[in-house]
Amino acid sequence: MSKLEEILEKRRVSRRRFLNVAGTSAGAVAVMTLVEGCSDSGSTTTTTPTTPTTPTTPTTPTLTDADVLNFALNLEYLEAEFYLRAVTGSGLSSTDAGSGAGAVTGGTQVGFKTPAIQQYAQEIANDELAHVRFLRKALGSAAVNRPSIDLTNSFNAAAMAAGIGATFNPFADENSFIVGAFVFEDVGVTAYHGAAGLLTDKKNLAAAAGILATEAYHAGEIRTLLTQLDVPHITYANQISALRGKAGGGAETTLSASSIVAADTSSISYSRTTDQVLHIVYLNPTAGVVKSGGFFPNGLNGTITASAS
């Protein structure tokens, strides 16, 4: 074979190989890589095609008992501040609130006229203070400090959202105080019920069950007192209940003289997830991530601070 024929034969073979390779998807990638690698000077740079990576689904962090107890501690701070200010005019001490604690806005001593109602308020205030101290001791150095708490704008916003009016002051008189207490008590019961399944240590579970029982006693007291008030106040309570239900996945029982206990059809107390509780205390029923607002203008302290849905 002459030199010329040999060159032509090589070109024919190269052309057939080119077409055969280009006919496959892998070949197409290789051809495109080859073409893109050609420079004006005629030199060719071959680049190995990269395999696309599959995006990984982010894992949900595992909550510890300390995370759950701190979530509860935030709620106890809120209740303690509300009741202590109502009966004494001042809130938690710096020792009970923790160093670097957030500020508390609002809250004044209520001018109680009925000794029994004042006694109920004092008893609940003592209980909530005891809960704060118990959880802080149980958590030790892991205990979060009191977050910033709003007891003025929060109630106004709740009243507006519930259709009660532009403003609402739960410290104005004893009847308003009972409606204000109703905002918190049922939430506490459902929060502890929901948190029970997140705890792993039996001692912590037993303690949470004990606090839940106490909160349920408080809720029973407040719900019973409400049924003895005039129509506007029990109506306000049910408007608040509807607002909580919208933000917290239902879990509400309309209050009346013949329907005081808040429970499901099996007479089991309602349960709420941490997400649902956050939507309630942040006064934000909109689905999605919520990080602050309502009673906690800067959010909660700890790990469980934002809703996921």
Side-chain angles (χ1 to χ4, degrees):
M1 182 183 293
S2 65
K3 189 67 172 178
L4 177 59
E5 290 174 334
E6 184 178 353
I7 293 172
L8 291 175
E9 180 61 20
K10 285 182 178 180
R11 287 183 178 179
R12 282 194 294 270
V13 172
S14 298
R15 183 172 180 273
R16 285 195 300 271
R17 291 179 61 191
F18 175 88
L19 294 175
N20 288 338
V21 171
T24 66
S25 57
V29 174
V31 170
M32 289 302 297
T33 304
L34 180 61
V35 172
E36 291 171 356
C38 294
S39 65
D40 293 338
S41 61
S43 60
T44 302
T45 303
T46 303
T47 305
T48 303
T50 58
T51 303
T53 57
T54 303
T56 57
T57 302
T59 57
T60 303
T62 301
L63 296 175
T64 66
D65 279 17
D67 295 331
V68 178
L69 294 180
N70 268 320
F71 178 72
L73 178 57
N74 278 275
L75 303 180
E76 295 293 351
Y77 281 137
L78 174 61
E79 290 184 299
E81 289 293 349
F82 174 77
Y83 285 107
L84 287 172
R85 289 168 188 269
V87 297
T88 69
S90 59
L92 293 167
S93 68
S94 57
T95 301
D96 292 321
S99 59
V104 179
T105 303
T108 57
Q109 189 170 13
V110 176
F112 292 101
K113 295 183 178 181
T114 307
I117 293 178
Q118 184 173 12
Q119 183 179 349
Y120 287 146
Q122 182 66 66
E123 182 181 36
I124 296 175
N126 293 340
D127 289 344
E128 301 302 355
L129 174 58
H131 290 168
V132 167
R133 290 175 174 172
F134 173 82
L135 289 172
R136 285 186 60 84
K137 182 178 180 180
L139 286 161
S141 60
V144 297
N145 299 321
R146 181 191 64 203
S148 296
I149 293 174
D150 188 329
L151 296 174
T152 300
N153 299 315
S154 55
F155 279 106
N156 291 338
M160 179 66 76
I164 295 173
T167 61
F168 180 77
N169 180 9
F171 304 98
D173 53 69
E174 64 182 21
N175 288 353
S176 297
F177 162 78
I178 295 172
V179 174
F182 176 75
V183 172
F184 301 123
E185 289 304 335
D186 288 355
V187 178
V189 174
T190 59
Y192 274 103
H193 189 175
L198 302 176
L199 294 169
T200 57
D201 188 292
K202 290 184 178 180
K203 291 182 179 179
N204 292 334
L205 180 58
I211 296 177
L212 185 155
T214 303
E215 297 291 350
Y217 283 128
H218 296 166
E221 285 180 340
I222 298 301
R223 292 177 71 90
T224 300
L225 288 173
L226 277 167
T227 63
Q228 299 172 18
L229 300 184
D230 51 15
V231 173
H233 292 89
I234 193 170
T235 299
Y236 293 162
N238 280 323
Q239 287 174 289
I240 290 294
S241 176
L243 179 64
R244 286 191 313 222
K246 183 179 179 182
E252 294 286 334
T253 296
T254 301
L255 184 63
S256 69
S258 60
S259 180
I260 296 176
V261 177
D264 64 17
T265 55
S266 298
S267 292
I268 296 175
S269 68
Y270 294 117
S271 174
R272 284 191 170 103
T273 65
T274 55
D275 269 21
Q276 291 169 335
V277 173
L278 288 172
H279 276 286
I280 292 174
V281 297
Y282 289 160
L283 295 178
N284 192 332
T286 305
V289 177
V290 182
K291 298 181 179 180
S292 62
F295 296 100
F296 297 97
N298 299 327
L300 274 65
N301 288 334
T303 301
I304 307 173
T305 60
S307 64
S309 60

